[in-house]
Amino acid sequence: MILIKNGHVKTMAGPDLPCGDVLIENGKIKEVGTGLTAPEGAQVIDAAGRLVTPGIVEAHCHIGLDNEGMGWEGHDFNEAVDPCTPHLRAIDSINPMDEAFENAVKAGVTTAVTGPGSANVLGGTFTAIKLCGKRVDDMIVKDPVAMKAAFGENPKRVYSNSKKSPTTRMGTAGMLREILFKAQRYLQDKETAEQNEEKLPPFDMKLEALIPLLKKEIPLKAHAHRADDIFTSIRIAKEFDLLLTLDHCTDGSLIADELAKEGYPAFVGPSLGQKTKIELLHKSFETPGLLNRAGVDVSIITDAPVIPLQYLPLCAGMAVASGMDYEEAWKAITINPAKANGIADRVGSLEPGKDADVVIFEGDPLRDVAAHANLTVIDGKIIYRE
């Protein structure tokens, strides 16, 4: 049992507690309030007025699948020989021993949604994991979280070089529709055959993997930078009645009013660094704030390792410096990504019953580049202490 006392507590579930306490028991948050009394035997940590927040949540990255400093040996995020690989699962490529995990935890990032890259039209499923552990099976928060799809330049480039389809945006959309139509028919045939196993269709692992998507158990996770690609992802999601998240959303500021009407969550980033391709022409830290003010549910992402995951708080701070509301920026790296990825029952805020993922900061990382985590707790255990 741990009692963190006398902190400026950002619960992300209500107003801040300027002199608040967080009581942790059996890996869960037991109580959040002021003037809490330490139970007998509890470890008491005096936050001494420092900032106390939920563990930070990354909505879209590739941590563990693209290992630090390994080169091609650690590139396990793109199966770039087949444009449609929905049957691939992120958990089979994640290496928890990658140093990126420790670096993220030291910065207060405790949960990440990670998975395949954007070489393929369909890349496979993402998973949500805690960022400490030796075995990925024991780190899972939710699996699967989403089915990865990619629009725009990446599939075109990869398969044009291989002299295969898709080589155009039409080809990408057509290929995605084709496999979704097949999956719909496959699911219908399976449901029709429930009372007669002899009528079951031949097993197809790719189509099986798409059933949770068609049943709206998970969203389509749409890699889309350019405005027309964003609208294509929305068009196809509507055609097949799918849940959808808009990942990257680089041109979001150009179509903020339209996206607000549609109501899909936007995962914005990576916004730090050079514009490496034409799709990134409008990349800007102003985009999260513009979308938020238009009424879009915004999460800020690193797309790690594009931006190392430990710099997620810095990215939120740069969004604030570019006009985003401070409180909304905190939501964009805590409760918003938790809700959009279906894991808000466990992470994203400091509330009784949720996982005890808590960070104590020296300074405020959204306001001071020199701010840093003093203490990171994951599932009620102190994982990092300065």
Side-chain angles (χ1 to χ4, degrees):
M1 188 174 286
I2 299 173
L3 178 62
I4 298 173
K5 289 189 65 66
N6 305 321
H8 184 104
V9 179
K10 296 193 77 65
T11 69
M12 307 314 302
D16 289 6
L17 303 177
C19 188
D21 309 329
V22 181
L23 181 61
I24 296 167
E25 182 179 39
N26 296 326
K28 299 289 184 179
I29 297 170
K30 183 175 178 63
E31 193 173 356
V32 180
T34 58
L36 301 185
T37 301
E40 184 177 352
Q43 179 182 0
V44 178
I45 298 172
D46 187 359
R50 288 170 292 179
L51 186 64
V52 178
T53 75
I56 291 171
V57 181
E58 165 71 50
H60 174 118
C61 71
H62 310 284
I63 192 170
L65 292 89
D66 186 4
N67 293 259
E68 295 277 351
M70 286 192 187
W72 73 268
E73 296 96 332
H75 291 176
D76 284 314
F77 56 95
N78 276 323
E79 189 75 10
V81 294
D82 180 349
C84 287
T85 56
H87 57 302
L88 303 186
R89 302 175 67 191
I91 58 170
D92 296 322
S93 270
I94 293 171
N95 172 22
M97 305 299 179
D98 181 5
E99 68 174 276
F101 286 77
E102 182 180 356
N103 293 338
V105 169
K106 287 180 177 179
V109 186
T110 58
T111 300
V113 176
T114 187
S118 52
N120 292 345
V121 176
L122 282 175
T125 52
F126 269 59
T127 187
I129 57 172
K130 296 295 179 72
L131 294 177
C132 68
K134 297 179 180 178
R135 183 174 180 175
V136 69
D137 309 77
D138 300 326
M139 299 159 64
I140 292 169
V141 179
K142 182 182 179 182
D143 181 63
V145 168
M147 175 62 68
K148 177 67 179 289
F151 298 83
E153 291 184 24
N154 286 20
K156 281 180 54 177
R157 183 187 69 252
V158 170
Y159 291 99
S160 291
N161 291 340
S162 301
K163 307 299 183 185
K164 295 169 63 175
S165 183
T167 63
T168 64
R169 284 175 164 82
M170 290 185 296
T172 295
M175 193 167 285
L176 179 56
R177 282 192 180 93
E178 180 182 22
I179 195 168
L180 288 173
F181 275 123
K182 288 179 177 178
Q184 277 186 334
R185 176 59 63 86
Y186 182 80
L187 176 58
Q188 290 167 0
D189 289 347
K190 284 191 69 172
E191 291 174 340
T192 301
E194 282 181 356
Q195 305 304 319
N196 185 352
E197 290 190 4
E198 292 182 359
K199 294 185 177 181
L200 277 173
F203 177 78
D204 188 313
M205 192 166 180
K206 290 185 177 183
L207 302 184
E208 283 283 338
L210 289 169
I211 289 175
L213 177 67
L214 295 174
K215 288 186 172 183
K216 301 177 84 167
E217 295 170 2
I218 58 173
L220 188 70
K221 190 173 184 65
H223 163 110
H225 289 282
R226 215 168 75 177
D228 55 340
D229 293 322
I230 295 169
F231 287 137
T232 296
S233 72
I234 292 172
R235 186 181 312 118
I236 292 175
K238 287 182 173 181
E239 287 176 22
F240 292 89
D241 190 26
L242 307 176
L243 300 175
L244 177 70
T245 64
L246 304 174
D247 294 50
H248 305 306
C249 208
T250 303
D251 279 1
S253 61
L254 308 181
I255 53 174
D257 55 340
E258 293 291 332
L259 297 184
K261 286 188 290 186
E262 296 293 350
Y264 299 108
F267 300 163
V268 183
S271 302
L272 184 66
Q274 69 179 124
K275 298 174 181 179
T276 55
K277 52 185 179 179
I278 193 65
E279 283 183 331
L280 305 182
L281 180 64
H282 299 112
K283 181 170 77 169
S284 170
F285 275 109
E286 293 181 359
T287 302
L290 289 167
L291 285 170
N292 171 256
R293 289 192 294 276
V296 178
D297 185 283
V298 173
S299 299
I300 294 170
I301 65 171
T302 63
D303 199 22
V306 179
I307 303 170
L309 191 48
Q310 64 262 35
Y311 298 126
L312 180 54
L314 173 65
C315 291
M318 293 183 76
V320 173
S322 298
M324 190 175 194
D325 177 80
Y326 167 80
E327 295 295 342
E328 294 297 327
W330 266 110
K331 290 179 184 177
I333 58 171
T334 54
I335 193 62
N336 287 1
K339 287 180 177 178
N341 284 291
I343 53 176
D345 59 324
R346 291 188 57 182
V347 300
S349 62
L350 299 177
E351 298 180 80
K354 287 197 175 184
D355 294 358
D357 297 352
V358 188
V359 185
I360 300 177
F361 285 100
E362 185 72 47
D364 186 330
L366 272 60
R367 287 177 164 153
D368 181 3
V369 71
H372 59 279
N374 292 130
L375 182 85
T376 304
V377 176
I378 299 179
D379 292 331
K381 297 177 182 178
I382 297 173
I383 305 301
Y384 168 71
R385 192 166 198 167
E386 190 179 37

